[in-house]
Amino acid sequence: MAGCVHSPPSPAASSRRQPNSALRPGSTSASGDGFEGNRYLLISTFNSTTNLYARVNNNGSEQRVDLGAIPTGQHQYRIEWTALDAANDQVRFYVDGQLVADMTVASAGVQLASI
């Protein structure tokens, strides 16, 4: 299996990649609505063969953070999506328990989701 994709009921998303799983070029750890609603949270290689990216789109334009070189070996990936206030949500990306990216997006009415 190249990646793990889970499409939970909207608006809260919940998915977890297996601990000690590896991402390879062209693979994705993601949660969203299958891109149809222009909403997704994912960790992927985007259009690169060397780097990993944290990516968020919540019915707007994509925000993307370059996380650096694709780590070798097996790692745990986590995405937390929480409501900050009525207008904004916060999305945090972790690799092996370490915060690697933090983004704010327009609110989608999320209560709490951990991916």
Side-chain angles (χ1 to χ4, degrees):
M1 178 161 78
C4 176
V5 177
H6 178 69
S7 297
S10 268
S14 179
S15 175
R16 186 178 297 269
R17 246 181 105 73
Q18 291 296 321
N20 300 321
S21 58
L23 282 179
R24 292 177 176 69
S27 69
T28 299
S29 177
S31 184
D33 61 6
F35 300 106
E36 295 90 12
N38 219 11
R39 287 189 168 100
Y40 52 86
L41 314 171
L42 56 93
I43 296 173
S44 77
T45 54
F46 183 51
N47 61 1
S48 170
T49 59
T50 59
N51 286 24
L52 201 58
Y53 293 85
R55 300 169 59 195
V56 173
N57 188 342
N58 194 18
N59 205 26
S61 60
E62 181 178 284
Q63 293 182 51
R64 184 179 324 114
V65 174
D66 185 342
L67 303 177
I70 297 169
T72 59
Q74 298 183 350
H75 300 276
Q76 184 176 18
Y77 299 90
R78 185 174 86 216
I79 302 170
E80 292 179 353
W81 183 4
T82 57
L84 287 177
D85 54 41
N88 297 296
D89 291 345
Q90 182 175 46
V91 183
R92 290 184 170 162
F93 294 82
Y94 297 84
V95 177
D96 296 330
Q98 298 296 310
L99 180 66
V100 294
D102 189 350
M103 299 182 217
T104 300
V105 296
S107 181
V110 165
Q111 299 300 316
L112 170 65
S114 181
I115 302 167

